[in-house]
Amino acid sequence: MFVGLFQFTVIDEALLAQPSSPIDDAMLVNMTIIGSVLLLIVGVVFIVRSFTRSIFKIKHAFDLTVLSIMVPKEKKSEGSSNASQEERLEQVREEIGITETIFATVAGLRAQRGIHKWFKGRNDHFSFEMVVHNNLINFYVAVPHKLKGFLEQQINAQYPYAHIETMVDYNIFTNKSSIVGAYIVGKNVHVFPFKTYKKMDSDPLSSLLNVLARVHEQNSSAAIQFVVRSAHRKWRRKGVRIVREVKKGEKFEHVVHRNFFTKILKQVGKGMGEQLATKDSTNLNQPQNHYQLSAMEEEMLKGVEEKLSKGGLDVTIRMVSASDNPDVARMNLDNLVNSFSQYNLYRYGNSFGAVIPKNQKTIIQDFIYRSFNEQRDTLLNTEEMASLWHLPLHSTEAPNIKWLGARKPPPPPNLPAEGILMGHIPYRGQDYPVRLKDADRRRHLYVIGKSGSGKSVLIQNLAVQDIQNGKGVAIIDPHGDFAEYVLSHVPKERADDVVIFDPSDFERPIGLNMLEVKDEDQKDFAVQEMISIFYKLFPPEMIGPMFEHNMRNVMLTLMADLKNPGTIIDIPRMFTDDDYVKMYLKKLKDPVVRAFWEKEMAKTSDFHKSEMLGYLISKVGRFVENDMMRNIMGQQKSGFDFRDVMDKQKILIVNLAKGKTGEVNAKLIGLIIVAKLQMAAMGRADLPEDERKDFYLYIDEFQNFITDSIAIILSEARKYRLDLIIAHQYLNQLVNEKGRAEIKDAVLGNVGTICSYRIGPEDADILAKEFAPTFGAYDLMNVEKFTCNTKLLVDNQATKPFNMSVYAPEKGNIQLASAIKQLSRLKFGRDRSIVEAEIMERTKLDQGTSESKDDMIEASL
């Protein structure tokens, strides 16, 4: 259009030189009018174009999806620490080259063109961003909706362990923020190269990241935004022309200068352009000495050729700094601008300069919209772009980077389609449910992780599903929250199945007698478990062989009458009341135990008896003298039948909140209940295997409630359908006072499915062998909250480990839970006054204590 107007002007001047005539005057007027109209049309077109682009700029902003990208901060192998500086530098370049591959695919996209794009503006740009937000450096990419899948595939291809998360857009501004922004543009012709990572002695991004890491004072934030789109393929033409002319002997300055004016002349007009170009060509083509390139110029010429050999990208570099303090905001911006100087090549290369607009409102608006600014763009090739923006490297030591806690490998291909829902695997835009089959649950589930990592959420969800699916469940909770949560999710139709064992309910205590057995075969197991429980409660040096010998014989005697057994509370009276012993001797059939009373105890002096009594009472006394424990363990008949709970698929909820029950009391009750459940499971041997229904035992902080017999449960109880779900915090909890690790070995050697939340370095070194080669120790130590690294058993075969997210807890029915609690205490508890009267009548504790004291005084005299 401008060429046509210029031609009209030339014709008008020619006409003016000739004698005027009425016709010529009319023609001149008409042509002037036509020129004015054309100018007006051009102006209107550009005004409409500007208005249209401003509208679509906002529309394009809402067509973007913001992706947060995190990679794990994982150290390389130990051998790399001994590598030379050159080898480490080569490693850095290789890692940055991975991002260059991603930019190469972006540069390979076809640049949008056409009249509609000329009017509306292109919308095929990506925004690669580094943002200090909430004192952490985040890496974001804003991508058009239609290209989201394309970019995710490219990132995942180059960074298999990167975690890409679609997020709601961030906001770095506050109401008090003082905001200042700037553009970074190239100062020289676009074909001249910038300094790249291949010619630097370290990662160039480290300088930018260290500046961003210091942006944390007075509610400060900052962002560097690279709005990138593929360049039109004609961008190389000027570079090719420069290289060709310089190689013919021309100087860089002359070639660049001439090409610049030639371009302008072609836009002004064909006629005058040809004359000026001819004149310029005549002057420049006069004989002159052939110019000899210096070594540096040859190197820079090679740099231009190298830049032309890679994909081109149009880039708008925009940075914004915000702070409550205007001086701090400006200082942070200046620091960011200065950090770009490392990319400058000052002689026959390109360098960056900052442009700080006077109208800051526009740049802030463009930052929010992620608009491409064609007046402030710079042409970079993929190598230069990768030098400016890439994901942090393994060697990056800048602080405050938001790293991925652990790797996110793909889900195994053989995830079950049935079974209990454990969690889900969000992976590359899809969500994969994780289920555990009933048959695989018989090999037990083991959950480990630090406090607050999310263990309870997982086992709560599983327990609720089992209850809602009509399964038999027992829950042993040392804190109380787990029990209360599950109780609030019990369906109304299962209210009758619930047994709530709460030791802190003083008014209606539920009986729990460890010495109550179903048959003769269970006696030895019950006695041995009770002795093991004492070993758990007291230091080993306080127990000893004499304690075991006396306690074993006393307990076997109290168990002589299966229909009317004694209790632990009866033990003191067994050593002070001979008549009471004779009551049980009538039912005693074991000759060895009978010999203990008739030969050994009968020949023991009162003095030695008193010593023995004091020794035993010191162990049993804390339960005899405690009202709560006495009323629970002193009842001869347990408040419920454990075998009945298992076979009829009932729900047993044991709330051992230590704040109400006491730590030692809670541990003792928990140990007894686990032992009773194990006895009930073993008693299922009288049922055909196909009639045994699965019963799920959930134990939180399970190290407190197990003895060495846990190995039996893990290896054999599955045959009797007692399936364990056990959780605790760290492996050393499974090592006893003597340093023996039988329980730890039994757990790791027998459990089928393992869920590892965030753990400490010692445990990570051990469990890394279980999760190798998918996860290393670093991954196990840096798992995100409410996610766990999982090794799932599928059809009795372990899958490849994966990272699983658990579902958030749901709100329950508190009113229904309260009603079920009242129903349970009325059904299974007994009135306190009745229980106390029965215990005192049977044990004579109010008399036995004083009598025993008198005996000890007499014996000592």
Side-chain angles (χ1 to χ4, degrees):
M1 291 182 182
F2 287 110
V3 173
L5 291 173
F6 182 75
Q7 289 175 338
F8 288 139
T9 305
V10 173
I11 293 172
D12 289 345
E13 289 177 352
L15 290 171
L16 289 172
Q18 298 176 3
S20 63
S21 65
I23 296 176
D24 293 340
D25 291 341
M27 185 180 297
L28 181 61
V29 171
N30 290 336
M31 294 183 72
T32 303
I33 293 173
I34 292 172
S36 300
V37 170
L38 288 175
L39 282 172
L40 181 61
I41 292 173
V42 170
V44 170
V45 168
F46 274 90
I47 291 172
V48 172
R49 175 177 179 263
S50 177
F51 180 73
T52 305
R53 284 199 170 193
S54 64
I55 293 175
F56 277 92
K57 179 172 70 174
I58 301 174
K59 185 177 182 298
H60 293 161
F62 290 99
D63 187 43
L64 296 174
T65 299
V66 181
L67 305 175
S68 172
I69 306 175
M70 292 182 289
V71 292
K73 172 64 172 174
E74 184 180 20
K75 296 290 185 183
K76 288 296 182 183
S77 61
E78 292 182 3
S80 63
S81 62
N82 300 323
S84 65
Q85 177 67 22
E86 267 242 2
E87 290 172 331
R88 286 195 290 269
L89 184 57
E90 187 60 32
Q91 179 66 38
V92 167
R93 290 170 180 168
E94 286 179 9
E95 291 188 55
I96 299 176
I98 293 174
T99 306
E100 185 181 346
T101 306
I102 297 173
F103 286 120
T105 61
V106 175
L109 296 173
R110 185 176 183 272
Q112 292 179 343
R113 63 195 66 169
I115 187 65
H116 65 292
K117 291 299 178 186
W118 186 84
F119 264 102
K120 297 191 300 184
R122 289 172 59 178
N123 64 337
D124 59 345
H125 56 264
F126 302 78
S127 181
F128 294 85
E129 302 170 5
M130 294 181 289
V131 182
V132 181
H133 184 46
N134 295 331
N135 294 329
L136 287 175
I137 302 174
N138 299 267
F139 288 77
Y140 298 121
V141 179
V143 56
H145 294 327
K146 62 182 180 180
L147 295 174
K148 175 175 176 285
F150 161 78
L151 188 67
E152 285 182 335
Q153 291 169 7
Q154 297 304 317
I155 295 174
N156 286 323
Q158 304 304 325
Y159 293 90
Y161 296 112
H163 177 62
I164 305 174
E165 181 180 352
T166 302
M167 56 171 289
V168 178
D169 206 352
Y170 60 87
N171 178 22
I172 65 172
F173 308 127
T174 65
N175 293 332
K176 299 179 180 179
S177 291
S178 177
I179 308 167
V180 59
Y183 289 101
I184 299 293
V185 296
K187 294 182 179 180
N188 210 338
V189 179
H190 68 268
V191 297
F192 286 106
F194 294 91
K195 194 174 184 180
T196 68
Y197 68 92
K198 290 187 176 180
K199 295 179 175 60
M200 295 186 183
D201 295 330
S202 61
D203 178 11
L205 200 64
S206 296
S207 177
L208 290 173
L209 292 177
N210 278 288
V211 173
L212 290 173
R214 291 195 293 269
V215 179
H216 55 77
E217 298 178 354
Q218 302 185 31
N219 293 327
S220 300
S221 298
I224 305 176
Q225 192 178 79
F226 302 91
V227 185
V228 177
R229 70 185 188 188
S230 57
H232 195 280
R233 58 189 177 188
K234 66 182 180 181
W235 75 272
R236 293 183 178 85
R237 293 177 185 173
K238 184 164 187 173
V240 172
R241 192 157 50 244
I242 291 174
V243 171
R244 187 180 297 123
E245 294 297 328
V246 170
K247 284 188 175 182
K248 288 180 181 179
E250 297 288 342
K251 290 185 178 182
F252 268 107
E253 293 89 340
H254 293 171
V255 173
V256 174
H257 180 72
R258 182 175 62 215
N259 288 342
F260 177 73
F261 279 106
T262 303
K263 183 177 179 180
I264 294 178
L265 291 173
K266 285 184 178 180
Q267 292 178 347
V268 172
K270 184 176 180 180
M272 181 176 287
E274 289 177 354
Q275 293 178 358
L276 291 175
T278 302
K279 182 178 179 181
D280 184 56
S281 175
T282 302
N283 293 334
L284 291 173
N285 289 330
Q286 291 177 356
Q288 52 184 302
N289 295 329
H290 187 77
Y291 180 73
Q292 185 68 34
L293 293 175
S294 67
M296 180 60 72
E297 288 173 329
E298 288 180 354
E299 185 69 23
M300 295 315 300
L301 189 63
K302 183 181 176 182
V304 173
E305 289 180 312
E306 287 178 352
K307 179 165 184 174
L308 300 179
S309 68
K310 296 181 180 288
L313 298 164
D314 293 327
V315 184
T316 297
I317 306 174
R318 186 185 293 118
M319 55 181 64
V320 171
S321 174
S323 176
D324 290 354
N325 187 329
D327 295 332
V328 172
R330 184 57 187 256
M331 180 188 69
N332 290 334
L333 181 68
D334 291 341
N335 291 336
L336 287 173
V337 169
N338 293 335
S339 63
F340 276 81
S341 62
Q342 63 181 322
Y343 301 101
N344 294 346
L345 284 173
Y346 295 101
R347 178 67 175 167
Y348 303 128
N350 220 329
S351 58
F352 284 118
V355 177
I356 303 178
K358 292 182 179 179
N359 185 359
Q360 285 288 305
K361 181 179 179 181
T362 302
I363 190 174
I364 295 169
Q365 192 177 60
D366 287 347
F367 168 79
I368 296 171
Y369 292 153
R370 297 182 171 89
S371 306
F372 189 91
N373 190 323
E374 294 181 351
Q375 282 73 45
R376 303 295 184 193
D377 68 327
T378 303
L379 199 143
L380 304 173
N381 71 1
T382 55
E383 183 180 317
E384 293 167 334
M385 189 60 225
S387 303
L388 292 168
W389 189 98
H390 57 259
L391 294 173
L393 313 180
H394 297 107
S395 58
T396 302
E397 296 298 338
N400 302 332
I401 294 175
K402 188 176 182 180
W403 295 99
L404 176 64
R407 287 181 284 184
K408 307 281 185 178
N414 59 332
L415 285 175
E418 59 182 21
I420 191 169
L421 184 63
M422 295 179 64
H424 61 109
I425 309 172
Y427 185 76
R428 298 188 180 181
Q430 297 188 42
D431 202 64
Y432 301 85
V434 179
R435 297 183 179 274
L436 183 60
K437 293 182 177 180
D438 289 346
D440 294 318
R441 294 185 71 184
R442 292 168 195 149
R443 289 289 304 275
H444 315 296
L445 170 62
Y446 173 55
V447 184
I448 184 172
K450 292 183 177 181
S451 178
S453 58
K455 302 186 303 296
S456 297
V457 176
L458 171 61
I459 59 178
Q460 283 173 6
N461 290 343
L462 296 179
V464 168
Q465 289 183 70
D466 282 334
I467 290 171
Q468 294 175 346
N469 293 335
K471 304 285 188 180
V473 174
I475 294 165
I476 301 177
D477 178 22
H479 305 298
D481 296 336
F482 181 15
E484 294 294 337
Y485 177 85
V486 171
L487 184 59
S488 68
H489 287 80
V490 174
K492 181 172 56 178
E493 58 273 15
R494 295 209 66 186
D496 257 352
D497 294 338
V498 179
V499 180
I500 300 174
F501 190 99
D502 186 356
S504 63
D505 187 354
F506 286 89
E507 299 307 317
R508 294 195 67 83
I510 297 178
L512 180 64
N513 185 6
M514 182 63 186
L515 305 183
E516 181 186 22
V517 294
K518 295 285 186 182
D519 52 50
E520 296 289 336
D521 296 336
Q522 292 184 347
K523 285 184 178 180
D524 286 332
F525 180 83
V527 170
Q528 189 56 45
E529 278 299 292
M530 199 64 221
I531 291 174
S532 297
I533 288 171
F534 277 108
Y535 271 109
K536 288 280 289 186
L537 297 177
F538 301 98
E541 60 272 12
M542 293 183 64
I543 306 298
M546 285 304 298
F547 176 85
E548 286 191 40
H549 174 67
N550 292 324
M551 286 295 292
R552 181 178 289 107
N553 284 283
V554 171
M555 287 190 288
L556 286 172
T557 305
L558 291 170
M559 297 166 69
D561 188 353
L562 295 180
K563 294 182 180 179
N564 189 31
T567 68
I568 294 176
I569 307 302
D570 295 305
I571 291 176
R573 189 178 178 188
M574 293 291 286
F575 289 98
T576 58
D577 191 340
D578 293 337
D579 294 333
Y580 192 63
V581 174
K582 291 176 182 178
M583 290 172 52
Y584 287 97
L585 289 177
K586 293 177 183 178
K587 299 282 185 176
L588 186 62
K589 299 177 182 179
D590 190 331
V592 176
V593 179
R594 180 178 291 275
F596 169 79
W597 292 105
E598 294 178 348
K599 296 181 179 180
E600 184 176 340
M601 292 301 297
K603 295 179 181 180
T604 303
S605 65
D606 291 338
F607 175 77
H608 287 98
K609 281 184 180 180
S610 65
E611 282 189 336
M612 185 187 304
L613 178 62
Y615 182 63
L616 293 174
I617 287 181
S618 67
K619 310 297 182 295
V620 183
R622 66 172 62 188
F623 311 116
V624 176
E625 297 161 4
N626 184 287
D627 288 347
M628 178 180 69
M629 296 299 291
R630 183 172 63 242
N631 291 342
I632 292 172
M633 302 180 66
Q635 298 185 49
Q636 290 179 286
K637 296 293 183 182
S638 296
F640 55 91
D641 187 337
F642 285 88
R643 176 70 183 272
D644 183 67
V645 169
M646 294 182 72
D647 290 347
K648 294 185 179 179
Q649 301 282 275
K650 292 186 177 181
I651 304 165
L652 173 61
I653 299 177
V654 183
N655 188 341
L656 299 177
K658 294 178 182 177
K660 297 179 180 179
T661 308
E663 185 172 358
V664 176
N665 294 340
K667 186 180 288 189
L668 174 62
I669 292 173
L671 286 163
I672 292 175
I673 287 176
V674 171
K676 297 284 279 185
L677 286 169
Q678 187 176 354
M679 289 168 57
M682 298 300 185
R684 284 179 155 188
D686 59 2
L687 280 177
E689 190 169 349
D690 58 347
E691 293 182 17
R692 301 169 192 163
K693 298 178 181 178
D694 286 290
F695 188 82
Y696 301 101
L697 173 57
Y698 291 82
I699 314 178
D700 195 9
E701 304 298 344
F702 83 103
Q703 76 280 354
N704 294 318
F705 310 119
I706 55 165
T707 61
D708 291 343
S709 64
I710 185 68
I712 300 174
I713 304 180
L714 291 169
S715 59
E716 296 182 15
R718 63 186 181 88
K719 302 174 186 176
Y720 306 107
R721 301 293 193 266
L722 177 61
D723 308 333
L724 297 184
I725 300 90
I726 50 180
H728 74 127
Q729 297 177 10
Y730 55 93
L731 288 173
N732 270 346
Q733 290 175 321
L734 307 183
V735 179
N736 63 20
E737 293 81 359
K738 295 181 179 180
R740 297 170 60 185
E742 286 89 347
I743 295 177
K744 182 179 76 172
D745 296 338
V747 170
L748 296 180
N750 286 286
V751 293
T753 299
I754 302 176
C755 293
S756 175
Y757 287 80
R758 181 172 294 186
I759 56 178
E762 291 183 7
D763 292 347
D765 290 338
I766 296 172
L767 290 179
K769 299 172 185 176
E770 292 281 345
F771 290 91
T774 306
F775 295 120
Y778 177 87
D779 300 303
L780 299 176
M781 290 188 293
N782 292 278
V783 184
E784 295 177 3
K785 193 174 182 180
F786 302 122
T787 70
C788 58
N789 293 327
T790 304
K791 189 177 180 182
L792 187 71
L793 199 68
V794 179
D795 297 328
N796 212 30
Q797 293 291 326
T799 64
K800 188 177 180 181
F802 56 89
N803 185 267
M804 179 182 73
S805 299
V806 297
Y807 294 103
E810 299 179 357
K811 190 175 181 180
N813 189 335
I814 305 300
Q815 290 76 19
L816 180 60
S818 178
I820 293 174
K821 192 179 295 184
Q822 290 299 323
L823 176 64
S824 175
R825 67 192 297 266
L826 291 173
K827 286 175 63 178
F828 302 104
R830 298 178 66 201
D831 186 82
R832 176 179 181 176
S833 58
I834 297 175
V835 171
E836 289 180 343
E838 287 182 357
I839 293 174
M840 291 300 174
E841 175 66 25
R842 189 183 76 255
T843 62
K844 307 295 183 183
L845 284 174
D846 53 343
Q847 302 173 21
T849 303
S850 60
E851 289 176 3
S852 62
K853 288 180 179 178
D854 293 340
D855 291 341
M856 284 190 286
I857 292 171
E858 288 181 15
S860 62
L861 294 174

